[in-house]
Amino acid sequence: MAHSAVPQPFRASRPAAPLSGTHRVPGDKSISHRALMFGALAVGTTEITGLLEGEDVLRTAAAMRQLGAVVEQTGPGAWRVAGRGVGGLVEPADVLDMGNSGTAARLLCGLLAGHPIFAVMTGDASLRKRPMLRVTEPLSTSGASFWMRQGGRLPLAVRGAVEPLPLDYRLPVASAQVKSACLLAGLCARGTTRVIEPEPTRDHTENMLRHFGATVRVEDTPQGRLIELEGQPELVAAPILVPGDPSSAAFLLAAALLVPGSRVTVANVGLNPLRTGLFETLREMGARLTVTNARTEGGEPVGDLTAEYGPLRAVEVPPGRAPSMIDEYPILAVVAATAQGTTRMRGLQELRVKESDRLAATAAMLAANGVGAEIAGDDLIVRGGEAGIPGGGTVATHMDHRLAMSGLVMGLAARAPVAVDDAAFIETSFPGFAALLNAACGAAAIEPT
Ligand code: S3P
């Protein structure tokens, strides 16, 4: 299941025809990880439809099997998880390898902290650089013990708590992964776990906990958003419909905004308001972006999104919007390169600890293709304009799927083709990316080199 160790260089060129048609993108990555994990903790059998079958999520599926759940694929995107009940996971016989996935690794830390078992976790070279203390510190207060490399890096070993204590934690950073790790540990503890987040972050964990029958209270306080979870609930298996991933739809929609004459619809996209900061920003830039068929499915808002090519203007993106579009800055930076004026995206410090240092890598991606970009403190500044994107450069992707996809979308709009050094990591979140974009423009605009 590991992506090829051999880099897969790709190139994208301006298509002869605009992008058109109605398309679907793979299932939401955040919801897919959680569906497998909560399914493993529930009593009964959880049927999942629309699961993202990307490498990150398949790592979570493998880990849940190692922890004793029965996880099987029953059809394309259709999965069945026979759970073990809260507190019922078993000690894994081997190392848990979470590949490229920070979400899988951090959420799993929470899950393991609440079980009286010993486990070792590792990941690929990108994940082994990412900070884990942000989860292990609060989780240690439950009684779990963690051992890690210098600076809190993977591999790590954990011995979960025998009698886990509820957590009471104020997150120093806005992170849905840290919040979710705390709530997962809190499931196994007797009493009420309390988490306060400085800014609201994606709430798929809270939604799914309720969907499985847990009691979760959410309240906005002067200190931030307070989430309270009653420990040791019986989670009862419930069907899960995973919507299309808005973070994946972003690439197709951005391509339509950038290639003259395009009009594309992405059907069945998750529109959780804590995920839609990019769409709000694009509208502020003057993008023609509309939602139709808005509905609620499986507790999450869903709709069809249509994007149409047109002129765009620069904007300032406030720091408070970062949690709702944290994964979308690289593709927004590409869009900003074609907008009239200078776009400033503020408060992007969290981008430094993603699959790569996305702040530096995004600025470098633009600079390598003739676009004026600079980093000022924690802000990214992109100089757009009539000249558009010259292109002709190579994007260094640093094992980061979103940089690879952003670079390729940039190539569709640039005057000269854009190369990316390694597109293999796109498999972590968006299997079929190149084929889908090529189908939308009716040509092999994105191809291996
Ligand atoms: C995620 C939370 C975000 C996001 C990641 C998925 C999640 O990370 O970048 O792709 O599913 O909880 P942080 O919690 O580090 O902001």
Side-chain angles (χ1 to χ4, degrees):
M1 78 142 76
H3 67 85
S4 151
V6 182
Q8 293 175 19
F10 264 64
R11 185 181 53 202
S13 339
R14 222 181 233 195
L19 284 81
S20 61
T22 297
H23 306 272
R24 279 181 179 248
V25 293
D28 188 88
K29 186 151 72 72
S30 292
I31 297 177
S32 294
H33 283 300
R34 288 161 171 81
L36 293 168
M37 289 186 190
F38 288 117
L41 288 176
V43 174
T45 301
T46 295
E47 303 278 354
I48 309 169
T49 315
L51 190 86
L52 166 63
E53 287 162 349
E55 281 172 5
D56 276 12
V57 174
L58 296 179
R59 295 285 181 172
T60 292
M64 292 307 112
R65 285 195 191 104
Q66 285 177 273
L67 292 165
V70 179
V71 182
E72 48 190 15
Q73 186 186 24
T74 55
W79 288 64
R80 180 177 294 153
V81 183
R84 300 192 60 91
V86 169
L89 299 180
V90 301
E91 188 159 278
D94 204 348
V95 173
L96 303 165
D97 184 350
M98 307 325 294
N100 193 250
S101 179
T103 307
R106 298 213 178 97
L107 268 58
L108 200 56
C109 281
L111 209 119
L112 294 167
H115 285 76
I117 56 181
F118 175 80
V120 179
M121 189 193 300
T122 191
D124 71 12
S126 156
L127 187 55
R128 279 183 275 115
K129 285 189 202 147
R130 298 181 66 185
M132 299 301 287
L133 286 174
R134 53 177 53 202
V135 284
T136 59
E137 275 179 2
L139 292 175
S140 298
T141 66
S142 74
S145 303
F146 291 90
W147 297 266
M148 282 160 287
R149 286 196 304 134
Q150 285 279 324
R153 316 281 170 201
L154 295 180
L156 69 66
V158 50
R159 182 169 289 288
V162 178
E163 294 250 4
L165 299 168
L167 279 81
D168 192 347
Y169 190 61
R170 182 170 199 280
L171 272 62
V173 288
S175 165
Q177 292 177 1
V178 178
K179 170 177 66 175
S180 301
C182 293
L183 294 175
L184 277 159
L187 276 178
C188 298
R190 193 186 310 217
T192 307
T193 284
R194 291 186 182 82
V195 186
I196 294 184
E197 46 182 2
E199 302 276 352
T201 66
R202 63 190 72 191
D203 56 1
H204 306 302
T205 296
E206 297 90 309
N207 293 345
M208 209 177 285
L209 278 168
R210 288 200 188 98
H211 186 59
F212 279 87
T215 302
V216 182
R217 287 180 296 274
V218 179
E219 189 191 333
D220 285 319
T221 73
Q223 288 74 42
R225 184 162 285 186
L226 166 69
I227 298 112
E228 290 186 320
L229 167 70
E230 291 307 325
Q232 300 188 340
E234 178 163 287
L235 295 184
V236 182
I240 294 180
L241 270 176
V242 184
D245 196 326
S247 300
S248 297
F251 296 104
L252 195 52
L253 297 167
L257 296 176
L258 297 180
V259 177
S262 299
R263 185 177 196 274
V264 157
T265 299
V266 186
N268 193 44
V269 182
L271 293 175
N272 181 311
L274 293 165
R275 295 286 298 281
T276 50
L278 173 75
F279 304 143
E280 190 181 342
T281 304
L282 291 174
R283 285 198 192 97
E284 286 172 8
M285 296 174 85
R288 283 186 267 178
L289 188 64
T290 49
V291 177
T292 50
N293 202 10
R295 59 203 186 271
T296 302
E297 263 180 27
E300 293 276 348
V302 175
D304 303 343
L305 272 169
T306 300
E308 214 174 314
Y309 173 80
L312 300 171
R313 54 182 178 269
V315 284
E316 178 162 322
V317 189
R321 200 175 291 166
S324 68
M325 56 177 293
I326 191 67
D327 293 332
E328 280 67 76
Y329 285 101
I331 190 62
L332 175 63
V334 171
V335 173
T338 69
Q340 200 53 247
T342 298
T343 290
R344 187 172 191 125
M345 304 165 215
R346 303 176 71 96
L348 305 191
Q349 58 278 4
E350 273 297 296
L351 285 198
R352 298 186 204 273
V353 291
K354 293 295 172 188
E355 285 82 334
S356 66
D357 175 348
R358 269 189 194 154
L359 188 50
T362 300
M365 166 178 77
L366 295 175
N369 286 283
V371 177
E374 71 191 74
I375 296 166
D378 293 329
D379 299 352
L380 178 63
I381 297 162
V382 179
R383 294 183 209 293
E386 265 151 31
I389 303 170
T394 299
V395 177
T397 51
H398 303 282
M399 304 177 78
D400 188 330
H401 55 133
R402 300 208 196 274
L403 279 169
M405 290 186 276
S406 299
L408 292 169
V409 169
M410 179 161 64
L412 298 180
R415 289 197 292 285
V418 172
V420 304
D421 65 352
D422 188 4
F425 285 86
I426 293 175
E427 285 297 311
T428 61
S429 70
F430 198 156
F433 167 81
L436 186 58
L437 273 104
N438 286 339
C441 61
I446 298 177
E447 52 186 356
T449 53

